Amino acid sequence: MRENLFLVEGDKLVAEVLQSNLKVKELLVTENFPHDQIIDEKNIGRITEVDIKELKQASLLNNPQNSMAICHIPEKKSLPTKLSNALSLYLDGIQDPGNLGTIIRICDWFGISDIFCSADTVDLYNPKVIQASMGSFNRVNLVECEFDHVTSLAHKSDTIIYGAFMDGNNIYSEQLSKKALLVMGNEGNGIRKEVEDLVEKRLSIPNLSTNLVKAESLNVSVATAIICSEFKRL
């Protein structure tokens, strides 16, 4: 990250990068990489052909494929002037890169283009985030900011602020707003107190198990998918 670069691995993800506006410093490919995927060489600083043994030495994956792209990190996105989409997310201290990547992929699936996050959320360009997002990182806007800035945007946009809590109202019986900002909290600690104080409506996913011993909680990315699905039913 000190070089302002990030790594993309896997033929599908690399192909998506090559079809995007991202600038690639160096593209490493084996002879088996489909070269018709190289759409615009103007966005590529250098193309280096390597053998699979050399690629494995450089790879972070257990089973690398035929390509690796070293990309320039784009300029940080600024806050919009208002929340223009029906549903936006704020991530409060998500730490696991797999969770963040999966949440980004979920947002891409549901057409949620704006994700805001706290400064202590795992970095978007962490290689594990990139892998878990399956290319969606390039189609979703993720902006790091303080929660009160997003709160101000929500109020100006007539958007209700929801938060996911263990003791919130049952999402299946709650009357949801068509314009919403959904806050999802840290894997272990949930939503921090200063953010919780600004949440207007608390939601929970009820545990419907009839077992004597029940699961304590849901993974945050799974919970995000369930809640987003309910909002998208409106």
Side-chain angles (χ1 to χ4, degrees):
M1 300 300 176
R2 286 176 295 184
E3 305 268 339
N4 212 38
L5 300 169
F6 70 101
L7 182 66
V8 178
E9 295 196 69
D11 294 353
K12 180 181 181 296
L13 296 190
V14 169
E16 288 204 29
V17 163
L18 297 177
Q19 295 176 54
S20 74
N21 293 322
L22 286 170
K23 301 292 185 184
V24 177
K25 180 180 181 181
E26 185 168 6
L27 175 64
L28 305 176
V29 295
T30 71
E31 61 181 2
N32 293 322
F33 182 74
H35 284 69
D36 59 350
Q37 299 286 355
I38 301 173
I39 306 297
D40 187 355
E41 293 192 18
K42 294 196 298 291
N43 282 343
I44 306 172
R46 181 170 61 187
I47 301 174
T48 304
E49 189 160 308
V50 295
D51 60 36
I52 190 64
K53 183 178 179 181
E54 291 172 313
L55 198 66
K56 282 182 177 179
Q57 289 175 338
S59 176
L60 299 177
L61 302 178
N62 292 328
N63 296 296
Q65 295 177 319
N66 300 294
S67 59
M68 176 186 298
I70 302 167
C71 306
H72 294 278
I73 294 177
E75 289 185 11
K76 282 192 174 183
K77 294 181 173 68
S78 56
L79 275 172
T81 55
K82 66 175 183 177
L83 299 180
S84 55
N85 297 301
L87 180 61
S88 303
L89 260 64
Y90 186 87
L91 307 180
D92 186 29
I94 300 295
Q95 294 294 295
D96 185 273
N99 282 336
L100 178 57
T102 302
I103 290 171
I104 291 169
R105 191 177 178 186
I106 289 163
C107 287
D108 185 23
W109 181 266
F110 283 116
I112 301 166
S113 58
D114 291 325
I115 305 176
F116 306 95
C117 67
S118 60
D120 59 343
T121 294
V122 62
D123 193 281
L124 168 62
Y125 297 104
N126 180 301
K128 292 181 180 179
V129 175
I130 298 297
Q131 286 298 127
S133 79
M134 292 300 292
S136 293
F137 76 93
N138 197 40
R139 294 186 291 273
V140 172
N141 299 318
L142 193 139
V143 180
E144 180 187 306
C145 60
E146 297 294 331
F147 186 63
D148 55 358
H149 294 164
V150 187
T151 302
S152 177
L153 281 179
H155 292 160
K156 284 192 286 186
S157 308
D158 296 320
T159 296
I160 294 177
I161 303 171
Y162 291 87
F165 297 90
M166 295 297 294
D167 62 351
N169 297 326
N170 185 334
I171 190 169
Y172 300 123
S173 56
E174 184 74 2
Q175 188 73 33
L176 301 174
S177 170
K178 288 186 177 181
K179 297 189 70 176
L181 172 68
L182 172 62
V183 183
M184 301 301 296
N186 173 270
E187 291 88 344
N189 302 316
I191 297 171
R192 73 192 80 201
K193 184 65 167 62
E194 55 267 35
V195 173
E196 178 182 352
D197 290 342
L198 297 173
V199 169
E200 297 168 316
K201 293 194 175 183
R202 302 165 69 94
L203 298 174
S204 71
I205 301 166
N207 188 331
L208 303 178
S209 172
T210 57
N211 294 325
L212 291 177
V213 179
K214 302 181 180 183
E216 290 184 1
S217 62
L218 286 171
N219 172 281
V220 66
S221 58
V222 172
T224 300
I226 293 169
I227 297 174
C228 287
S229 179
E230 285 301 302
F231 274 104
K232 288 296 180 176
R233 282 160 55 95
L234 300 176

